[in-house]
């Protein structure tokens, strides 16, 4: 290997983004290729084909994929069986008794991943303290395993009662399945979650088993193809919790990949915010199919311990990301009342928006942005794809006629509707949880983020918009910063007043030993391992908890644990819920996050213009309204801008992977690392 290049590839619904870093020079190259849904590995290899360094000279490859998520969305995962404790066969199918939609008489629960025919039970029983009430009936276990083999299941999820406290029966069931049904892929719940709540732990195991055969096949094929190309470096996958995991770990725990698609962007936003001194950020990532909104507070991404997919719990830590169907490929349509809607249906990568010239005929957000003048036809998107404005307008015309509008009027309406939907996504993670958007800067990225960011900021009163370098491939860029992570947890429901600090310390020591062994096996020396301890705390009788850091940090558990936890919990509870109570406090779960630190890229600084201001290369007419059908917007190429350059709106700044639009009164200044910092005029109060 003669180089040390690092490559990150993010497979999206429409485009596959690639970022290449040359650590020796600090040069970062961004690119895009079309996603290939029918051949998932083909798009990844196409992305590698755009890099300067051959595979043999790549030391680290970080990859993000929506393969598992897509299998769930389309219900095309593996045929899965579930094995539970005798008497608790229906834990997964019954779920919880809460109802999410109280007043919708047409509501139906999303279809289950398994039917009752697919659920089995085995006599065994452990108690909450780990003691064995009833030994595993191995003869019955073998009978169940034989039935699963005969019925031809692809995978099986094993979730026994209280296995978080004593996993011995689950481990033995896996051994029996390996003997009797060796072709069936097995997931055991305690390896994914060592926490109480049987339904949530079972759901996590089922989701893992449902996507595991598909993810395993994909990763095995991709690893083989990479090896054929000469790749010998470290292969990492981004995970839902905001870090990365080795490809070998991903094969064993693919449930951690399900919500990992947008994680790279949030990781990158956190690192970039630290670099430019912006610790509080709202992020919006507008891709080809969806938009993802998230928060970074005090330099840390917001995590929650219980994510969901279509009301199905995933009991692993996950970044707090709100996703809506508002991407560049979102299709315009009329609802039953004849009102215009945009999304969530998407033209995706095949055929894509009409303006791509690949056979698409339905009007999309991208077609609307091209028609009004936000985007142009001269610069090829990602250096490969040229847009056709005639096809865009042609796709808009039939719907415009139905609404008795002009095609450009329809296009402007589509952009406004998309902007309103995005505002709703931002409000959901700020206003609706007691946070004021004005306290944040808006970091916008993705292929479409720069088209709408200023409008969203104006309406929500956000004073500053930041557009990072390489915005169109920023999620892939963020993957370069992802440390390898493992999450460990132990249930320990205990009144805080009765907390046994030595026992807590012993539990953390056990998790720390397990974490260090895992990281060492993945090639991380002790000085590259960081262990972070926390604990879930609540008022007695409450359902929801607050996660607070454990004093002592990486060194262990400090003395006076209860007093410090009480103080931290009280402050955090008041901040999150607006009140505190006199009720007794209890802890529920001990948590440890183990990180294997990878070398972080160092972003080069832009040069400074020696004389004069940045000059536009021309102007582009933008349709603002029927009264302003052709407003001249100054046109700039981002790659030509230098640090300190200032641009007054209205202007369009196009670049290799995306476009940014600012309006009259907005002011843009280029930062030291190439970030565009936009001051939004007259943001709504």
């Amino acid at each position: 290997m003669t180089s040390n290049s690092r490559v990150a590839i993010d497979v999206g619904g429409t485009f596959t983004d690639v970022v290449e870093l040359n650590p020796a020079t600090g040069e970062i190259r961004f690119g895009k290729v079309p996603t290939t849904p029918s051949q998932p590995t083909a798009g990844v290899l196409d992305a590698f084909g755009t890099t300067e360094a051959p595979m043999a000279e790549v030391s680290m490859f970080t990859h993000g994929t929506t393969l598992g998520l897509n299998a769930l969305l389309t219900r095309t995962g593996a045929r899965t069986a579930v094995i539970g404790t005798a008497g608790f066969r229906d834990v997964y199918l019954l779920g919880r008794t809460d109802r999410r939609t109280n007043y919708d008489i047409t509501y139906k629960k999303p279809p289950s991943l398994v039917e009752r025919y697919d659920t089995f039970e085995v006599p065994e029983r452990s108690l909450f303290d780990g003691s064995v009430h009833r030994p595993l009936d191995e003869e019955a276990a073998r009978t169940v395993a034989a039935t699963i083999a005969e019925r031809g299941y692809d995978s099986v999820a094993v979730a026994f009662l209280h296995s978080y406290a004593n996993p011995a029966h689950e481990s033995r069931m896996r051994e029996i399945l390996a003997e009797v049904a060796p072709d069936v892929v097995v997931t055991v719940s305690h390896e994914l979650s060592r926490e109480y709540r049987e339904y949530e732990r079972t759901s996590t195991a089922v989701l893992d088993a449902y996507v595991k055969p598909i993810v395993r096949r994909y990763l095995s094929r991709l690893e083989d193809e990479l090896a054929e190309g000469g790749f010998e470096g470290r292969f990492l996958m981004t995970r839902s919790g905001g870090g990365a995991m080795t490809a070998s770990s991903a094969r064993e725990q693919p449930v951690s990949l399900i919500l990992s698609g947008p994680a790279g962007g949030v990781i990158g936003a956190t690192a970039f915010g630290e670099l430019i001194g912006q610790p509080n950020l709202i992020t919006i990532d507008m891709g080809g199919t969806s938009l993802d909104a998230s928060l970074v507070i005090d330099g840390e991404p917001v995590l929650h311990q219980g994510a969901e997919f279509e009301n199905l719990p995933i009991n692993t830590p996950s970044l707090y990301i709100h996703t809506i169907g508002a991407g560049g490929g979102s299709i315009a349509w009329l609802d039953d009342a004849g009102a215009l809607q945009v999304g969530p249906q998407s033209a995706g990568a095949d055929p894509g928006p009409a303006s791509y010239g690949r056979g698409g005929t339905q009007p999309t957000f991208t077609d609307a942005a091209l028609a009004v003048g936000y985007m142009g036809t001269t610069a090829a998107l990602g250096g490969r794809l040229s847009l056709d404005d005639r096809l865009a307008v042609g796709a808009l015309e039939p719907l415009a006629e139905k609404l008795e509008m002009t095609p450009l009027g329809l296009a402007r309406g589509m952009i406004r509707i998309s902007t309103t939907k995005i505002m709703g996504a931002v409000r959901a993670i700020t206003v609706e949880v007691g946070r004021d958007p004005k306290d944040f800067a808006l970091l916008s990225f993705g292929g479409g983020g720069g088209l709408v960011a200023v409008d969203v900021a104006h309406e929500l009163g956000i004073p500053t918009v930041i557009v990072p370098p390489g915005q169109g491939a920023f999620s892939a860029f963020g993957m370069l910063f992802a440390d390898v992570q493992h999450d460990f947890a132990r249930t320990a429901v205990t009144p805080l007043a009765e907390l046994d600090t030595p026992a807590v310390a012993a539990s953390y020591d056990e998790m720390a030993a397990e974490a260090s062994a895992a990281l060492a096996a993945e090639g991380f020396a002790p000085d590259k391992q960081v262990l972070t301890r926390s604990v879930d705390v609540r008022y007695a009788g409450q359902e929801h908890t607050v996660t607070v850091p454990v004093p002592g940090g990486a060194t262990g558990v400090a003395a006076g644990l209860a007093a410090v936890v009480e103080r931290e919990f009280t402050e955090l509870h008041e901040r999150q819920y607006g009140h505190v109570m006199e009720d007794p406090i209890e802890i529920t779960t001990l948590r440890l996050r183990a990180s294997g630190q990878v070398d972080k890229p160092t972003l080069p600084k832009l040069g400074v213009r020696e004389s004069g201001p940045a000059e536009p290369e021309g102007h582009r007419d933008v349709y603002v309204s029927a009264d302003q059908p052709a407003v001249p917007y100054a046109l700039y190429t981002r790659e030509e801008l230098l640090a300190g350059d200032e641009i007054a709106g209205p202007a369009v700044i196009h670049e290799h992977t995306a476009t940014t639009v600012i309006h009259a009164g907005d002011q843009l200044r280029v930062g030291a690392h190439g970030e565009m910092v936009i001051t939004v005029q007259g943001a709504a109060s």
Side-chain angles (χ1 to χ4, degrees):
M1 186 179 297
T2 60
S3 177
N4 194 35
S5 293
R6 292 169 57 181
V7 172
I9 296 176
D10 179 30
V11 179
T14 303
F15 285 104
T16 294
D17 300 329
V18 56
V19 174
E20 180 182 13
L21 167 70
N22 185 335
T25 63
E27 179 187 5
I28 297 177
R29 299 179 67 252
F30 299 91
K32 281 181 178 288
V33 298
T35 293
T36 54
S38 60
Q39 296 179 294
T41 62
V44 177
L45 298 177
D46 289 345
F48 260 109
T50 68
T51 62
E52 289 189 347
M55 286 188 191
E57 297 182 5
V58 175
S59 63
M60 182 179 294
F61 167 43
T62 309
H63 181 32
T65 179
T66 57
L67 187 70
L69 177 62
N70 291 340
L72 289 168
L73 289 169
T74 57
R75 293 297 195 272
T76 54
R79 186 177 176 220
T80 303
V82 184
I83 304 176
T85 300
F88 295 85
R89 174 184 177 185
D90 296 315
V91 162
Y92 178 68
L93 295 177
L94 289 174
R96 295 296 177 193
T97 58
D98 59 329
R99 181 179 174 88
R100 304 299 177 89
T101 53
N102 291 328
Y103 304 108
D104 183 359
I105 61 174
T106 66
Y107 172 77
K108 292 183 179 179
K109 291 177 64 175
S112 175
L113 300 179
V114 300
E115 302 294 336
R116 194 168 194 271
Y117 175 81
D118 306 315
T119 62
F120 302 86
E121 57 185 6
V122 173
E124 68 84 38
R125 183 71 176 268
S126 295
L127 302 181
F128 73 95
D129 59 0
S131 60
V132 176
H133 178 69
R134 182 178 186 180
L136 176 70
D137 186 333
E138 295 200 5
E139 182 178 350
R142 290 181 179 277
T143 300
V144 168
T147 302
I148 287 173
E150 291 168 4
R151 292 187 184 179
Y153 287 100
D154 300 311
S155 62
V156 57
V158 181
F160 288 154
L161 197 67
H162 298 306
S163 63
Y164 62 88
N166 184 350
H169 289 175
E170 283 192 355
S171 297
R172 180 56 184 150
M173 186 71 229
R174 176 169 54 189
E175 293 172 356
I176 292 172
L177 284 163
E179 296 170 10
V180 180
D183 295 331
V184 179
V185 176
V186 181
T187 291
V188 289
S189 72
H190 74 270
E191 291 187 348
L192 302 174
S193 173
R194 291 292 295 271
E195 300 180 46
Y196 73 141
R197 302 182 189 278
E198 303 306 317
Y199 167 59
E200 284 78 3
R201 186 162 44 80
T202 303
S203 173
T204 304
V206 171
L207 287 163
D208 185 82
Y210 189 74
V211 301
K212 185 177 283 186
I214 294 172
V215 172
R216 278 188 172 182
R217 286 194 297 269
Y218 170 75
L219 290 178
S220 295
R221 180 174 179 180
L222 181 57
E223 286 180 309
D224 290 343
E225 292 173 337
L226 292 174
E228 290 175 5
F231 176 72
E232 298 178 352
R234 175 176 280 169
F235 181 9
L236 302 178
M237 302 287 294
T238 54
R239 60 198 297 271
S240 306
M245 61 197 309
T246 62
S248 58
S249 295
R251 284 197 297 269
E252 297 305 316
Q253 298 185 2
V255 70
S256 296
L257 305 177
I258 289 174
L259 301 177
S260 69
V266 181
I267 298 167
T270 303
F272 195 74
E274 180 181 3
L275 181 68
I276 64 174
Q278 288 281 358
N280 297 306
L281 297 168
I282 297 168
T283 72
I284 58 170
D285 174 8
M286 187 176 184
T289 304
S290 61
L291 178 132
D292 305 302
S294 190
L295 288 179
V296 177
I297 299 175
D298 295 332
E300 295 291 338
V302 176
L303 286 168
H304 60 162
Q305 302 299 337
E308 286 190 351
F309 168 80
E310 292 188 348
N311 294 340
L312 298 175
I314 304 175
N315 205 27
T316 57
S318 177
L319 290 172
Y320 180 47
I321 297 174
H322 186 73
T323 301
I324 61 171
S330 293
I331 296 171
W333 55 285
L334 301 182
D335 61 21
D336 292 340
L340 178 64
Q341 304 288 343
V342 182
Q345 304 92 329
S346 174
D350 185 14
S355 54
Y356 285 7
R358 294 176 175 165
T361 58
Q362 299 184 82
T364 67
F365 176 89
T366 295
D367 299 317
L370 179 62
V372 301
Y374 281 1
M375 304 173 72
T377 60
T378 54
L381 184 62
R384 293 175 168 231
L385 179 63
S386 295
L387 303 181
D388 190 323
D389 55 354
R390 294 172 299 176
L391 292 175
V393 173
L396 293 165
E397 285 176 343
L399 192 56
E401 290 179 4
K402 290 182 180 180
L403 293 171
E404 298 181 352
M405 302 174 68
T406 66
L408 295 186
L410 171 64
R412 172 55 62 188
M414 290 169 58
I415 293 172
R416 287 177 178 169
I417 289 172
S418 294
T419 300
T420 301
K421 291 178 66 176
I422 297 166
M423 288 166 51
V426 173
R427 288 178 61 88
I429 63 171
T430 54
V431 177
E432 294 179 14
V433 293
R435 300 191 181 277
D436 190 339
K438 299 175 186 176
D439 296 334
F440 297 81
L442 180 66
L443 186 77
S444 167
F445 51 93
L451 300 172
V452 298
V454 168
D455 288 333
V456 171
H458 182 273
E459 293 298 326
L460 292 176
I462 302 171
T464 304
V465 172
I466 301 169
V467 183
Q471 60 167 320
F474 188 75
S475 286
F477 167 78
M479 294 176 187
L480 297 175
F481 293 86
D483 291 325
V484 172
Q485 291 182 349
H486 295 272
D487 290 294
F488 302 87
R490 296 290 187 272
T491 290
V493 181
T494 308
L496 190 60
E498 302 173 11
L499 189 64
D500 184 342
T501 301
V504 170
S507 293
Y508 276 119
D509 289 344
E510 177 187 339
M511 289 188 283
E514 188 177 346
S516 295
L519 290 174
E522 293 170 344
F524 292 97
D527 63 336
K528 293 292 186 180
Q529 300 179 13
V530 176
L531 307 183
T532 306
R533 296 163 175 81
S534 61
V535 61
D536 289 356
V537 191
R538 68 186 181 188
Y539 288 113
Q542 279 192 332
E543 169 69 12
H544 300 290
T545 61
V546 173
T547 302
V548 303
V550 168
T555 60
V557 179
L561 175 63
V564 178
V565 167
E566 181 175 6
R567 184 178 66 250
E568 292 286 335
F569 168 70
T570 300
E571 292 178 359
L572 287 171
H573 194 279
E574 184 169 19
R575 186 187 309 171
Q576 292 188 21
Y577 299 106
H579 71 280
V580 295
M581 300 191 298
E582 299 297 328
D583 295 34
I585 298 172
E586 64 183 8
I587 68 169
T588 62
T589 307
L590 308 177
R591 300 190 182 278
L592 183 141
R593 165 160 286 191
S595 299
Q597 294 183 312
V598 302
D599 294 331
K600 306 298 189 296
T602 301
L603 294 185
K605 290 188 176 182
L606 286 186
V608 179
R609 194 173 302 279
E610 296 181 357
S611 63
E615 297 291 343
E617 60 189 56
H619 291 80
R620 180 183 294 164
D621 288 340
V622 172
Y623 180 92
V624 175
S625 66
D627 296 331
Q628 296 178 292
V631 177
Y633 276 51
L635 187 62
Y636 295 84
T637 298
R638 185 171 187 179
E639 287 80 2
E640 301 297 325
L641 299 178
L642 298 174
D645 283 349
E646 296 185 355
I647 297 172
V652 172
I653 303 93
H654 67 82
E655 57 186 287
H656 184 60
T657 59
T659 298
T660 301
V661 178
I662 63 175
H663 305 299
D666 299 329
Q667 297 288 329
L668 181 153
R669 181 179 176 84
V670 181
H673 296 280
E675 71 276 12
M676 296 190 299
V677 181
I678 303 165
T679 301
V680 181
Q681 185 190 49
S685 58

